[in-house]
DNA sequence: TACATGACTGACCAGCCAGTCATAATAGAT
DNA sequence: ATCTATTATGACTGGCTGGTCAGTCATGTA
């Protein structure tokens, strides 16, 4: 038997290298040769693991969204406002290394949003997220922890938008982890105060 | 004297055409020839009005940010919570045609954020916006309209981030104007409730 | 040691596009 | 009418990069 290589591990390594290079030079400015060099491989070798440049980007996104889904949907139904707030805060928390992904993502896929199908796919992700929060809100309303006059559906969507917005804002504008943490706590605070029944 | 042309008007027209093309095909995929065609001009003619492709993008940004500044900072100091809320809501409101700019912006300038100078320039814009809101919040605190235990500075920054985030979210993900309006009103509602003194 | 097979490589090429420039069209002045 | 400064044009080119492929290397088996 000849030399054997773990394909998945290889692909992971290449994606890491690509992320590094794209974050520094930008996806379009970066050449395949750059990525190969960063990965410590010959240019041709890359093509053994990815069909072409685009395939690298697509794999990168898939890997990333996988992680996001876990972060967003992995949490269990909160029983108290405090747990809910923790969940919100945690959702807004992005690992430092991954926050640069946002920029690369939009450089590569920004144009794709012009297509209906692509756009809808992403939109459905946020619908799901909105519904997720709506479910939690409704649950807490029943338990009397959130004012009952609120429309859980709309609120859920809005919360999703706000949270995603903060993540985007951080990723795109390179807000420092510390300042982001500050904002996260302030935002959570405002949200929760805005949701409780006793308000006004 | 020979043929005379209004340079500024010409440049405006080219920028409009470029915006159109970039939004549809993406900045990198679009060629100068595409832009020229959309503008109803020959390729060479473009180069009489813009030095190169990059210059078009830069002019586009400058024109856009000019408008943003007016929207954000043009409002006068709010005397009541209601006026404050109106201001917030208005800040989140983006003309339909301009919301597509966000995607183009990040496709073109996403990579530039890797540079300190560029990054800081944008960051300072948001510092200014944060300070702007902080000033309004402090003002309303003195008047007793907002709970006094809040840190106006942090809150201002957080609000700026949330608002900008919603704008980004809308622009990037192509949220419909109607749904965006819904979210705007919900968000404003939550903010205001979260800011008032009587809460909890 | 010889051989088989998968892993790896980088020089090369085709296609693409930003930017140039030689030439043509236009319109105000006389 | 004619002249000429200015504006308009699109065929052309030079540089660049994604992707290929003919050849080399590494590893394990007989």
């Amino acid at each position: 038997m000849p030399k054997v290589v773990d394909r998945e591990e290889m692909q992971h390594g290449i994606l890491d290298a690509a992320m590094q290079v794209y974050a520094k030079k930008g996806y379009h400015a970066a050449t395949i040769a750059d990525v190969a060099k960063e990965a410590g491989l010959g240019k041709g070798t890359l093509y053994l693991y990815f069909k072409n440049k685009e395939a690298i980007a697509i794999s990168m996104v898939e890997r990333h969204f996988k992680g996001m889904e876990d972060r967003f949907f992995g949490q269990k139904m909160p029983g108290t406002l405090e747990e809910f707030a923790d969940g919100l805060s945690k959702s807004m928390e992005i690992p430092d290394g991954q926050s640069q992904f946002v920029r690369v993502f939009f450089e590569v896929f920004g144009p794709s949003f012009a297509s209906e199908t692509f756009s809808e796919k992403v939109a459905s992700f946020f619908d799901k997220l909105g519904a997720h929060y709506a479910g939690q809100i409704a649950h807490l309303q029943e338990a009397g922890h959130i004012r009952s006059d609120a429309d859980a559906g709309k609120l859920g969507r809005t919360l999703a938008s706000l949270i995603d917005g903060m993540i985007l804002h951080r990723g795109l504008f390179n807000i420092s982890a510390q300042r982001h943490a500050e904002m996260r706590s302030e935002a959570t605070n405002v949200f929760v105060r805005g949701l409780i029944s006793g308000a006004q």
Side-chain angles (χ1 to χ4, degrees), chain A:
Chain A
M1 285 286 169
K3 190 174 176 183
V4 170
V5 164
D6 183 335
R7 272 189 79 76
E8 285 213 0
E9 200 179 304
M10 208 64 168
Q11 286 173 329
H12 264 291
I14 292 171
L15 289 183
D16 288 342
M19 186 68 242
Q20 209 68 15
V21 173
Y22 293 167
K24 197 186 300 183
K25 292 190 67 167
Y27 173 80
H28 285 98
T31 67
I32 288 285
D34 290 332
V35 175
K37 194 176 170 192
E38 175 76 27
L41 297 172
K43 194 179 159 187
T45 313
L46 270 193
Y47 285 87
L48 297 178
Y49 297 99
F50 291 99
K51 197 169 120 271
N52 51 33
K53 200 185 182 185
E54 199 192 350
I56 295 178
I58 289 175
S59 282
M60 222 159 77
V61 171
E62 277 168 1
R63 189 174 71 159
H64 185 82
F65 267 67
K66 193 82 189 347
M68 273 224 317
E69 251 172 62
D70 293 348
R71 251 206 342 280
F72 281 143
F73 300 119
Q75 302 155 21
K76 63 175 186 299
M77 186 66 76
T80 68
L81 249 188
E82 199 170 286
E83 277 175 32
F84 181 64
D86 276 0
L88 291 183
S89 184
K90 195 155 290 172
S91 292
M92 284 184 270
E93 197 180 335
I94 281 204
D96 240 7
Q98 288 189 31
S99 81
Q100 58 191 355
F101 168 84
V102 179
R103 289 206 313 268
V104 175
F105 177 78
F106 284 107
E107 193 197 342
V108 180
F109 292 98
S112 305
F113 281 94
S115 116
E116 278 300 325
T117 33
F118 188 92
S119 214
E120 269 163 24
K121 208 165 149 187
V122 177
S124 87
F125 180 87
F126 283 102
D127 281 351
K128 252 169 67 186
L129 186 59
H132 179 69
Y133 287 127
Q136 298 191 346
I137 289 171
H139 182 75
L140 289 170
Q141 275 178 322
E142 270 172 48
H145 293 129
I146 286 184
R147 59 190 159 89
S148 55
D149 65 321
D151 177 328
K154 281 187 194 176
L155 258 180
R157 270 205 297 284
T158 304
L159 233 47
S161 165
L162 286 167
I163 286 171
D164 171 60
M166 276 200 81
I167 292 174
L168 290 176
H169 185 84
R170 159 141 154 81
L172 293 170
F173 298 135
N174 239 345
I175 313 288
S176 78
Q178 192 218 339
R179 185 161 275 200
H180 180 67
E182 244 176 65
M183 289 177 176
R184 237 167 54 221
S185 110
E186 284 291 328
T188 308
N189 193 336
V190 170
F191 290 161
V192 169
R193 279 169 176 268
L195 294 175
I196 48 184
S197 49
Q200 189 98 45

